[in-house]
Amino acid sequence: MFPSPGLSHLIPLVEFAKLLLQQHNEFTVTFLIPSLGPLTPSMESILNTLPPNMNFTVLPQINIEDLPQNLEPATQMKLIVKHSIPFLQEAVKSLVSKTHLVALVLCMFSTDALEVAKQLNLSSYLFFSSGAVLFSFLLTLPKLDESASSQFLESSYETVNVPGVSFPFHVKDLPDPVLYERSSDTYTSLLDVCQKLSLFDGVIMNTFTDLEPEIIRVLQESENKKLCVYPVGPIIRNESNSEANIGGTLTHEQLNELAFGLELSGHKFLWVVRAPSKHSSSAYFSGQKDDPLEYLANGFLERTKENGLVVPSWAPQVEVLGHGSVGGFLSHCGWSSSLESVVNGVPMIAWPLFAEQTMNAKLLTDVLKVAVRPKVDDESGIVKREEVGKSVKRIMEGDESLEINKRMNELSDAAAATVLSDHGSSRKALSALALKWH
């Protein structure tokens, strides 16, 4: 297994490997880790505590000077992989000489490593840690690109149809890299990934049939019969990790509107505050050093001390969501966080910030109807305090809250059954995959 760089890509792949080996312990898994620098303490902790039939090799570091500066995170990850290909090739050749290697499993931003699988005549599988809605769109992007005008995808389409979704997505709701200039590294890098998706022997997907039934059906019945889709989720962390929970950031103005909104709602809250930034993804690769509590309006902490607990920078999200007293989760709608919320049956306030989070938010609010989404003020571009307070009340009080809770509990039950039951759809998908590897 060859993860994309970074802890947030390693964790789902490790959790998937554990799931595979719990049910099919005749396999052995080796992780081949690309690196730009020394492993972080969290990565070391995860890799050094792998079960006996899982091991790892850290590939030689690539030279940071070989990478352009100020790249968008996804493009940087893809380039790190590209520069690691010669090291990967040697590591895989070594494994082939010592063991019966049946497959190479790659992550989304590791698709350039597909050439290694092809050269060595190995089966290649994509582990897709996001949902089927994003995969279905990405599979469609090359065709959209071919028919788009020369300048901008955004200027060619107002809306885009995603196979398996009953409503069109507005272009502004698509993943960030799609909205870049078509000649930019960011856009061309994403397009290159999308063009390789149909070349894999199979796609292992971190979703489950009851969550995205129509999209999964369309993917499995698509014209491209070669592409086998294995929905084996939900795969979530058993415990929180501070580095994997970095998430997004808000502007200073939005931070204070959120604060006043929580106060207006009158409900008890736990708020993990991060220092504000103009760029919502600024905390993705680097942690923050400022004390975030210094940015809150004077008197807020004192006024809300009976109702709220404000925690700087980080809290154990998995453990918090699993606590029975939590009635709602305001989330940026990253896929892992969305699955954690579903598994624990916690309704959501959808507050997408970057990457594919807006697509996930639309799935949660418009299709699954287990989340509410605050309206952004047209003039200021921010969510005003009154809207924040209203959104909290919508998931905590009244008939709408009861309906959302009911649907979320049904999904939570389905999530448990699909993995734990011998007849569960994800359990069956995993068995089918293991059989193929045999």
Side-chain angles (χ1 to χ4, degrees):
M1 298 189 177
F2 184 53
S4 303
L7 196 66
S8 61
H9 293 275
L10 177 66
I11 287 173
L13 203 55
V14 168
E15 293 303 323
F16 163 66
K18 287 177 181 174
L19 187 67
L20 171 72
L21 298 180
Q22 277 167 13
Q23 296 170 34
H24 304 277
N25 63 6
E26 64 277 21
F27 291 107
T28 299
V29 173
T30 299
F31 291 95
L32 303 169
I33 313 291
S35 63
L36 184 61
L39 293 180
T40 65
S42 295
M43 286 185 83
E44 280 189 341
S45 169
I46 288 167
L47 292 169
N48 289 328
T49 54
L50 293 175
N53 45 357
M54 292 164 65
N55 53 64
F56 70 96
T57 298
V58 179
L59 301 178
Q61 290 179 28
I62 67 159
N63 188 346
I64 195 167
E65 292 175 5
D66 291 339
L67 301 182
Q69 297 300 304
N70 303 318
L71 285 175
E72 187 260 345
T75 314
Q76 182 173 339
M77 285 187 270
K78 191 170 182 294
L79 265 180
I80 293 169
V81 166
K82 196 168 184 121
H83 285 281
S84 299
I85 297 290
F87 307 131
L88 175 71
Q89 203 162 20
E90 290 308 307
V92 174
K93 279 181 183 173
S94 173
L95 283 171
V96 168
S97 69
K98 291 186 287 195
T99 185
H100 181 204
L101 194 59
V102 295
L104 189 60
V105 180
L106 310 175
C107 286
M108 180 174 162
F109 299 111
S110 304
T111 50
D112 284 325
L114 196 59
E115 64 185 70
V116 176
K118 302 293 182 199
Q119 285 167 4
L120 299 174
N121 206 25
L122 291 167
S123 294
S124 58
Y125 288 79
L126 176 71
F127 179 76
F128 195 73
S129 57
S130 294
V133 64
L134 176 62
F135 186 82
S136 185
F137 165 68
L138 295 178
L139 211 53
T140 313
L141 184 60
K143 283 184 182 175
L144 294 171
D145 179 77
E146 282 174 19
S147 56
S149 66
S150 59
Q151 184 57 32
F152 254 156
L153 187 65
E154 193 171 5
S155 63
S156 307
Y157 301 97
E158 285 185 14
T159 60
V160 167
N161 290 310
V162 174
V165 182
S166 59
F167 57 84
F169 283 88
H170 288 282
V171 167
K172 62 178 171 48
D173 294 329
L174 300 177
D176 293 348
V178 176
L179 306 181
Y180 278 71
E181 190 103 21
R182 288 176 77 211
S183 59
S184 68
D185 289 341
T186 300
Y187 181 83
T188 54
S189 176
L190 177 68
L191 186 63
D192 181 67
V193 167
C194 296
Q195 288 164 338
K196 291 187 169 92
L197 295 180
S198 59
L199 304 178
F200 285 88
D201 295 302
V203 179
I204 305 154
M205 210 169 280
N206 190 11
T207 187
F208 58 102
T209 305
D210 287 307
L211 190 69
E212 303 179 274
E214 188 59 20
I215 310 172
I216 290 170
R217 184 190 66 76
V218 167
L219 286 171
Q220 290 177 330
E221 295 175 4
S222 68
E223 295 171 16
N224 188 358
K225 295 293 182 190
K226 177 181 174 288
L227 190 66
C228 298
V229 176
Y230 301 94
V232 299
I235 298 166
I236 64 169
R237 299 168 293 170
N238 294 321
E239 57 185 32
S240 298
N241 180 289
S242 58
E243 287 178 38
N245 246 18
I246 289 170
T249 51
L250 304 174
T251 63
H252 194 185
E253 186 183 7
Q254 183 62 84
L255 189 78
N256 277 316
E257 287 299 311
L258 178 54
F260 288 124
L262 289 171
E263 190 175 355
L264 274 175
S265 77
H267 282 276
K268 294 187 183 300
F269 63 86
L270 164 64
W271 184 17
V272 182
V273 179
R274 297 188 176 100
S277 167
K278 290 178 182 175
H279 303 288
S280 58
S281 62
S282 64
Y284 190 84
F285 268 132
S286 57
Q288 296 180 311
K289 298 177 177 62
D290 292 0
D291 178 4
L293 302 191
E294 289 180 2
Y295 292 90
L296 295 173
N298 285 341
F300 171 76
L301 292 174
E302 182 61 30
R303 290 195 309 274
T304 59
K305 65 182 181 184
E306 299 300 323
N307 241 17
L309 175 60
V310 180
V311 181
S313 302
W314 182 83
Q317 181 172 296
V318 176
E319 291 82 351
V320 169
L321 287 174
H323 197 284
S325 66
V326 175
F329 177 32
L330 190 155
S331 169
H332 65 347
C333 299
W335 190 248
S336 294
S337 293
S338 300
L339 285 181
E340 287 164 14
S341 210
V342 166
V343 167
N344 289 294
V346 180
M348 298 174 72
I349 298 175
W351 194 305
L353 295 175
F354 60 95
E356 90 295 2
Q357 293 163 7
T358 304
M359 290 192 90
N360 297 340
K362 284 187 80 70
L363 176 77
L364 293 161
T365 53
D366 297 355
V367 181
L368 300 172
K369 300 187 185 330
V370 293
V372 301
R373 186 156 170 202
K375 288 187 177 68
V376 176
D377 180 69
D378 290 334
E379 286 184 24
S380 64
I382 66 170
V383 179
K384 296 286 193 179
R385 61 191 71 180
E386 294 80 10
E387 185 65 20
V388 174
K390 179 178 155 190
S391 298
V392 172
K393 288 179 178 180
R394 284 177 66 191
I395 61 164
M396 297 296 288
E397 305 171 9
D399 292 342
E400 185 182 17
S401 167
L402 292 173
E403 284 297 314
I404 289 174
N405 268 284
K406 182 185 171 199
R407 283 191 291 271
M408 191 55 117
N409 285 328
E410 287 168 355
L411 272 184
S412 179
D413 291 344
T418 198
V419 173
L420 297 175
S421 164
D422 288 341
H423 305 292
S425 59
S426 294
R427 190 79 170 256
K428 284 179 174 174
L430 191 60
S431 295
L433 178 66
L435 189 63
K436 204 161 184 181
W437 285 346
H438 271 292

